[in-house]
Amino acid sequence: GYAIAMALLAASALVDSRNAHQLEESNARVTHSLEFMEKLRQTGNTAFVAESAQRGFLITGKDTYLAPYREMHDLIEPRLNALDQLASPAQRPALAELARVTRQRFAQMDSMLAVYNEGGAEQASAAVGTDEGASTMLRIRDVIRDMLAREGEVLAERRASASDTYSLSQYRSLLATLIVALALSGFYLLMVRYLRQRDEALASVRDNNLDLEQRVRRRTAELSDLSRHLLNVREDEKKNIARDLHDEFGSYLTAINMDVSRARDKIASS
């Protein structure tokens, strides 16, 4: 019983460990999708902020707009690399397109700044007025939107799977708990039964010992009485034998004395 209870406890712990591992994997997949979507938004924002800062500099000529542009320029490659680490095989073609058009847009903005530095604000304004940069930014938005939509579907599936895994783990844990509870209850009942039987057996042995002890005492008393009786009988027999011997020897001695007296009288008369 004890071994079975321990085995069931170990099995319950194994079920809990498996449930925890599955939940951890499901949550990790959900977290992966959320992180990928967040990195996508950050990459898009990086391009948008860089474009706004660059446009502000070209329009106003103020260097304060260049600081956020340069910051976004330094961030774009690390963020593309982070997306590359997180992208699933299904997202890689779209990610390659996103990386291409994003780098293309930053190259266009760098080219506009070079035009501004060489030809001044008028030439830069003319370059800004073309549709090339706008179409590239539109392409970036479209690619990011499609990737977010695709990953959103994956996220919904992963959340549903995580919910199913959680529900299944709850059922498993509940079932394992019920089985262990029933096993422990059975083990408890067996222990109670065993202890009751042991107590009954001990009580029976104790009663038998008391009865045997009383019998021994009674038999010992009987043997003591018998021994005293035998001693008394022996003493009486000794007394009777001694008395009989005394009487018999007395008769013999009397007869001998009489014989001696007759013999003495005959000798004297002769």
Side-chain angles (χ1 to χ4, degrees):
Y2 177 78
I4 294 176
M6 291 298 100
L8 287 174
L9 286 174
S12 177
L14 182 62
V15 169
D16 290 339
S17 176
R18 180 182 178 185
N19 290 339
H21 180 67
Q22 290 180 342
L23 285 173
E24 184 178 355
E25 287 184 345
S26 298
N27 291 332
R29 287 192 291 268
V30 170
T31 301
H32 180 274
S33 291
L34 290 173
E35 186 178 1
F36 182 74
M37 295 173 74
E38 179 62 22
K39 295 295 184 183
L40 270 176
R41 295 186 183 96
Q42 289 178 356
T43 301
N45 289 336
T46 301
F48 303 147
V49 170
E51 184 186 50
S52 297
Q54 183 251 19
R55 188 180 298 273
F57 172 75
L58 294 178
I59 295 174
T60 65
K62 293 181 179 180
D63 291 340
T64 54
Y65 287 98
L66 288 178
Y69 172 77
R70 293 188 180 111
E71 181 181 358
M72 296 301 104
H73 197 285
D74 293 338
L75 284 176
I76 192 61
E77 286 300 327
R79 287 182 174 175
L80 287 173
N81 291 333
L83 280 174
D84 185 67
Q85 296 295 322
L86 295 172
S88 64
Q91 290 279 27
R92 290 203 168 275
L95 178 58
E97 175 63 10
L98 176 62
R100 185 188 69 78
V101 294
T102 300
R103 292 185 178 112
Q104 179 182 349
R105 182 58 187 134
F106 272 87
Q108 291 170 352
M109 289 187 288
D110 289 341
S111 177
M112 290 180 189
L113 289 175
V115 170
Y116 179 90
N117 292 329
E118 293 176 1
E122 292 182 0
Q123 292 187 11
S125 297
V128 170
T130 63
D131 292 335
E132 184 180 6
S135 62
T136 304
M137 286 302 300
L138 183 60
R139 180 57 181 161
I140 291 174
R141 290 189 182 95
D142 291 342
V143 173
I144 291 177
R145 185 188 64 244
D146 293 343
M147 292 180 71
L148 285 173
R150 188 179 299 112
E151 195 65 27
E153 295 175 357
V154 174
L155 177 61
E157 294 176 358
R158 289 177 174 179
R159 279 177 169 165
S161 176
S163 178
D164 293 341
T165 300
Y166 176 77
S167 299
L168 182 59
S169 67
Q170 291 292 98
Y171 295 143
R172 285 175 178 171
S173 297
L174 179 60
L175 180 61
T177 301
L178 288 176
I179 291 175
V180 171
L182 290 175
L184 291 177
S185 298
F187 176 69
Y188 172 76
L189 293 176
L190 288 175
M191 287 298 299
V192 170
R193 180 181 178 185
Y194 166 74
L195 292 174
R196 184 171 62 250
Q197 291 177 347
R198 188 193 65 176
D199 292 340
E200 291 175 354
L202 290 175
S204 176
V205 171
R206 184 169 58 252
D207 293 340
N208 290 334
N209 289 337
L210 289 175
D211 181 64
L212 180 61
E213 187 175 344
Q214 290 176 355
R215 290 184 182 180
V216 170
R217 289 177 180 174
R218 197 163 50 245
R219 185 59 57 86
T220 301
E222 291 175 354
L223 290 175
S224 297
D225 294 340
L226 179 60
S227 178
R228 285 193 296 271
H229 176 70
L230 291 175
L231 288 175
N232 292 332
V233 170
R234 185 177 298 174
E235 291 297 328
D236 293 340
E237 288 180 352
K238 287 181 180 179
K239 291 179 181 178
N240 291 332
I241 291 173
R243 185 172 57 253
D244 291 343
L245 289 175
H246 179 271
D247 293 342
E248 189 171 351
F249 282 130
S251 297
Y252 288 154
L253 290 175
T254 301
I256 291 172
N257 286 333
M258 291 177 65
D259 290 340
V260 170
S261 295
R262 282 196 297 270
R264 186 181 298 124
D265 290 342
K266 287 181 180 181
I267 291 172
S269 64
S270 61

Coordinates of all heavy atoms in Angstrom, one line a residue, residues 84-116:
D84 N 15.1 39.2 -37.8 CA 15.7 38.0 -38.5 C 15.8 36.9 -37.5 O 15.6 35.7 -37.8 CB 17.0 38.4 -39.1 CG 17.5 37.2 -39.9 OD1 16.9 36.9 -41.0 OD2 18.6 36.6 -39.5
Q85 N 16.2 37.2 -36.2 CA 16.3 36.1 -35.2 C 14.9 35.6 -34.8 O 14.8 34.4 -34.4 CB 17.0 36.7 -34.0 CG 18.4 37.2 -34.2 CD 19.3 36.0 -34.5 OE1 19.2 34.9 -34.0 NE2 20.3 36.3 -35.4
L86 N 13.9 36.3 -34.9 CA 12.6 35.9 -34.5 C 11.7 35.4 -35.6 O 10.7 34.7 -35.3 CB 11.8 37.1 -33.8 CG 12.5 37.6 -32.5 CD1 11.7 38.9 -32.1 CD2 12.4 36.6 -31.4
A87 N 12.0 35.7 -36.8 CA 11.1 35.3 -37.9 C 10.9 33.8 -38.1 O 11.9 33.1 -38.1 CB 11.6 36.0 -39.2
S88 N 9.7 33.4 -38.4 CA 9.5 32.0 -38.7 C 9.8 31.8 -40.2 O 9.9 32.8 -40.9 CB 8.0 31.7 -38.4 OG 7.2 32.4 -39.2
P89 N 9.9 30.5 -40.6 CA 10.1 30.3 -42.0 C 9.1 30.9 -42.9 O 9.4 31.4 -44.1 CB 10.1 28.8 -42.1 CG 10.6 28.3 -40.8 CD 10.0 29.3 -39.8
A90 N 7.8 31.0 -42.5 CA 6.7 31.5 -43.3 C 6.9 33.0 -43.4 O 6.4 33.6 -44.4 CB 5.4 31.2 -42.6
Q91 N 7.5 33.7 -42.5 CA 7.7 35.1 -42.5 C 8.9 35.6 -43.2 O 9.1 36.8 -43.5 CB 7.7 35.7 -41.1 CG 6.3 35.6 -40.4 CD 5.4 36.7 -40.8 OE1 5.5 37.3 -41.9 NE2 4.5 37.1 -39.9
R92 N 9.8 34.7 -43.5 CA 11.2 35.1 -44.0 C 11.1 35.8 -45.4 O 11.8 36.8 -45.6 CB 12.1 33.9 -44.1 CG 12.5 33.5 -42.7 CD 13.8 32.7 -42.6 NE 14.3 32.6 -41.2 CZ 15.0 33.5 -40.6 NH1 15.3 34.7 -41.2 NH2 15.3 33.3 -39.3
P93 N 10.3 35.3 -46.3 CA 10.2 36.1 -47.6 C 9.8 37.5 -47.4 O 10.3 38.4 -48.0 CB 9.2 35.2 -48.4 CG 9.3 33.9 -47.9 CD 9.5 34.1 -46.4
A94 N 8.7 37.7 -46.6 CA 8.2 39.0 -46.4 C 9.3 39.9 -45.6 O 9.4 41.1 -45.9 CB 6.9 39.0 -45.6
L95 N 10.0 39.2 -44.7 CA 11.0 40.0 -43.9 C 12.1 40.4 -44.9 O 12.7 41.5 -44.7 CB 11.6 39.1 -42.8 CG 12.7 39.7 -42.0 CD1 12.2 41.0 -41.3 CD2 13.2 38.7 -40.9
A96 N 12.5 39.5 -45.8 CA 13.5 39.9 -46.8 C 13.1 41.1 -47.6 O 13.9 42.1 -47.9 CB 13.8 38.8 -47.7
E97 N 11.8 41.2 -48.0 CA 11.3 42.3 -48.7 C 11.3 43.6 -47.8 O 11.6 44.7 -48.3 CB 9.9 42.0 -49.2 CG 9.1 43.2 -49.9 CD 9.8 43.6 -51.2 OE1 10.7 42.9 -51.6 OE2 9.4 44.7 -51.7
L98 N 10.9 43.4 -46.5 CA 10.9 44.5 -45.6 C 12.3 45.1 -45.4 O 12.5 46.3 -45.5 CB 10.3 44.1 -44.3 CG 10.3 45.2 -43.2 CD1 9.5 46.4 -43.6 CD2 9.9 44.6 -41.8
A99 N 13.2 44.2 -45.3 CA 14.6 44.7 -45.1 C 15.1 45.4 -46.4 O 15.8 46.4 -46.3 CB 15.5 43.5 -44.8
R100 N 14.7 44.9 -47.6 CA 15.1 45.5 -48.8 C 14.6 46.9 -49.0 O 15.3 47.9 -49.2 CB 14.7 44.7 -50.0 CG 15.2 45.2 -51.3 CD 14.6 44.4 -52.5 NE 13.2 44.7 -52.6 CZ 12.7 45.8 -53.2 NH1 13.5 46.8 -53.7 NH2 11.3 46.0 -53.2
V101 N 13.3 47.1 -48.8 CA 12.6 48.4 -49.0 C 13.0 49.3 -47.9 O 13.1 50.6 -48.1 CB 11.1 48.3 -49.1 CG1 10.7 47.5 -50.3 CG2 10.5 47.6 -47.9
T102 N 13.3 48.8 -46.6 CA 13.7 49.7 -45.5 C 15.1 50.3 -45.8 O 15.3 51.5 -45.7 CB 13.7 49.0 -44.2 OG1 12.3 48.5 -44.0 CG2 14.1 49.9 -43.1
R103 N 16.0 49.4 -46.2 CA 17.3 49.9 -46.5 C 17.3 50.8 -47.7 O 18.0 51.8 -47.8 CB 18.2 48.7 -46.8 CG 18.5 47.8 -45.6 CD 19.5 46.7 -45.8 NE 19.8 46.0 -44.6 CZ 19.5 44.7 -44.5 NH1 18.8 44.1 -45.4 NH2 19.8 44.1 -43.3
Q104 N 16.4 50.5 -48.7 CA 16.2 51.4 -49.8 C 15.8 52.8 -49.4 O 16.3 53.8 -49.9 CB 15.2 50.8 -50.8 CG 15.0 51.6 -52.0 CD 13.9 51.0 -53.0 OE1 13.6 49.9 -52.8 NE2 13.5 51.8 -53.9
R105 N 14.8 52.8 -48.4 CA 14.3 54.1 -48.0 C 15.4 54.9 -47.3 O 15.5 56.1 -47.5 CB 13.1 53.9 -47.1 CG 12.4 55.2 -46.6 CD 12.0 56.0 -47.8 NE 11.5 57.4 -47.4 CZ 11.9 58.5 -48.0 NH1 12.7 58.5 -49.0 NH2 11.4 59.6 -47.6
F106 N 16.2 54.2 -46.4 CA 17.2 54.9 -45.7 C 18.3 55.4 -46.7 O 18.9 56.5 -46.5 CB 17.8 54.1 -44.6 CG 17.1 54.2 -43.3 CD1 16.0 53.4 -43.0 CD2 17.5 55.1 -42.4 CE1 15.4 53.4 -41.8 CE2 16.9 55.2 -41.1 CZ 15.8 54.4 -40.9
A107 N 18.5 54.6 -47.7 CA 19.5 55.1 -48.8 C 19.0 56.3 -49.5 O 19.7 57.2 -49.8 CB 19.8 53.9 -49.8
Q108 N 17.6 56.3 -49.8 CA 17.0 57.5 -50.4 C 17.2 58.7 -49.5 O 17.5 59.8 -50.0 CB 15.6 57.2 -50.7 CG 15.3 56.2 -51.8 CD 13.9 55.8 -51.9 OE1 13.1 56.1 -51.0 NE2 13.5 55.0 -52.9
M109 N 16.9 58.5 -48.2 CA 17.0 59.7 -47.3 C 18.5 60.2 -47.2 O 18.7 61.4 -47.1 CB 16.5 59.3 -45.9 CG 14.9 59.2 -45.9 SD 14.2 58.9 -44.3 CE 14.8 57.2 -43.9
D110 N 19.4 59.2 -47.1 CA 20.8 59.6 -47.1 C 21.2 60.4 -48.4 O 21.9 61.4 -48.4 CB 21.7 58.4 -47.0 CG 21.7 57.8 -45.6 OD1 21.2 58.5 -44.7 OD2 22.0 56.6 -45.5
S111 N 20.6 60.0 -49.5 CA 20.9 60.6 -50.8 C 20.3 62.1 -50.8 O 20.9 63.0 -51.3 CB 20.3 59.8 -52.0 OG 20.5 60.5 -53.2
M112 N 19.1 62.2 -50.2 CA 18.5 63.6 -50.1 C 19.4 64.5 -49.3 O 19.5 65.7 -49.6 CB 17.1 63.5 -49.6 CG 16.1 62.8 -50.5 SD 14.5 62.7 -49.8 CE 13.6 61.7 -50.9
L113 N 19.9 64.0 -48.2 CA 20.7 64.8 -47.3 C 22.0 65.2 -48.1 O 22.5 66.3 -47.9 CB 21.1 64.0 -46.0 CG 19.9 63.8 -45.0 CD1 20.4 63.0 -43.8 CD2 19.4 65.2 -44.5
A114 N 22.5 64.3 -48.9 CA 23.7 64.6 -49.7 C 23.4 65.7 -50.7 O 24.2 66.6 -50.9 CB 24.2 63.3 -50.3
V115 N 22.2 65.6 -51.3 CA 21.8 66.6 -52.2 C 21.7 68.0 -51.5 O 22.1 69.0 -52.0 CB 20.5 66.2 -52.9 CG1 19.9 67.4 -53.7 CG2 20.7 65.0 -53.8
Y116 N 21.1 67.9 -50.3 CA 21.0 69.2 -49.5 C 22.3 69.8 -49.2 O 22.5 71.0 -49.4 CB 20.2 68.9 -48.3 CG 20.0 70.1 -47.4 CD1 18.9 70.9 -47.5 CD2 20.9 70.4 -46.4 CE1 18.7 72.0 -46.7 CE2 20.8 71.5 -45.6 CZ 19.6 72.3 -45.7 OH 19.5 73.4 -44.9

